[in-house]
Amino acid sequence: VRMIRAIRFAAKLDFLIDPFAVAAIARCRQLLEGVAAARMFEEILKLLLAGKGEKTFALLEHHRIFELLFPATADAIRRAPLQRNLVTAALRNSDERIANDKTVTPAFLFAALLWPPMIRRMQMLVGKGEPPVAALHEAAANVVGAQVQLITIPRRFATPMREIWEFQHR
């Protein structure tokens, strides 16, 4: 998790990570797969609620850590690059809210981060003849089920996250 912390501080304090540390991150980034999902949730909250979420996202992508934390989102963005715009807009909005001493809920952040794979999966299911509402629920279950293996999303955030997705459909 020190790799994640280095990125968080680089984004928050606007500094470059030492080249030796960058090389170590590249060599050791796979070790993040062994970190407990509950611990990863806490680290992700610190990353995204520090008020520099957009810059943090860029650094996570640059160091190829985002694809380990949110593999389905990274894949969806790779397949449909415009999906990055939604993620960056949500992070930028959250950064502005934090700068103005307003609250940001993790449910919103996770809904935005997981929207690209959820909508992609939903569209595939609709394409196979599934009714839209049923497709949304199945896609949400698939995406959240896979994500919680890496980063725990407590029910108090997962439920409103799914509601946010349902509102988008409406």
Side-chain angles (χ1 to χ4, degrees):
V1 296
R2 289 183 178 153
M3 294 178 278
I4 293 173
R5 289 180 186 156
I7 288 171
R8 182 177 80 208
F9 289 124
K12 185 175 182 177
L13 302 174
D14 199 28
F15 68 79
L16 295 175
I17 300 173
D18 180 82
F20 292 110
V22 169
I25 289 170
R27 266 192 330 273
C28 300
R29 65 188 192 84
Q30 296 295 123
L31 293 174
L32 287 170
E33 294 172 348
V35 178
R39 177 134 186 239
M40 288 304 300
F41 174 75
E42 295 300 325
E43 292 299 324
I44 295 304
L45 284 187
K46 291 175 190 174
L47 274 177
L48 299 178
L49 296 176
K52 299 290 182 180
E54 185 178 12
K55 187 170 185 176
T56 299
F57 173 64
L59 287 171
L60 288 171
E61 281 193 314
H62 175 76
H63 292 287
R64 298 187 57 220
I65 289 178
F66 185 78
E67 65 195 54
L68 297 172
L69 301 174
F70 295 92
T73 304
D75 181 58
I77 288 172
R78 199 171 22 258
R79 293 173 187 268
L82 290 177
Q83 290 289 335
R84 176 180 278 105
N85 295 343
L86 174 94
V87 172
T88 57
L91 293 170
R92 186 178 316 115
N93 177 273
S94 295
D95 292 345
E96 290 170 10
R97 288 182 61 78
I98 291 166
N100 291 317
D101 292 322
K102 294 181 179 177
T103 61
V104 175
T105 175
F108 170 77
L109 292 169
F110 278 98
L113 286 166
L114 295 174
W115 176 262
M118 195 289 296
I119 197 68
R120 183 171 183 275
R121 177 79 176 133
M122 180 186 161
Q123 290 168 343
M124 286 178 15
L125 293 168
V126 168
K128 292 180 180 179
E130 192 83 24
V133 173
L136 183 141
H137 289 285
E138 184 176 337
N142 291 151
V143 169
V144 173
Q147 186 62 47
V148 298
Q149 301 303 309
L150 305 168
I151 301 169
T152 297
I153 304 173
R155 183 171 285 134
R156 71 182 186 274
F157 300 125
T159 300
M161 178 182 71
R162 290 176 189 208
E163 290 170 353
I164 290 168
W165 290 341
E166 289 174 8
F167 289 137
Q168 300 312 304
H169 177 71
R170 290 181 194 162

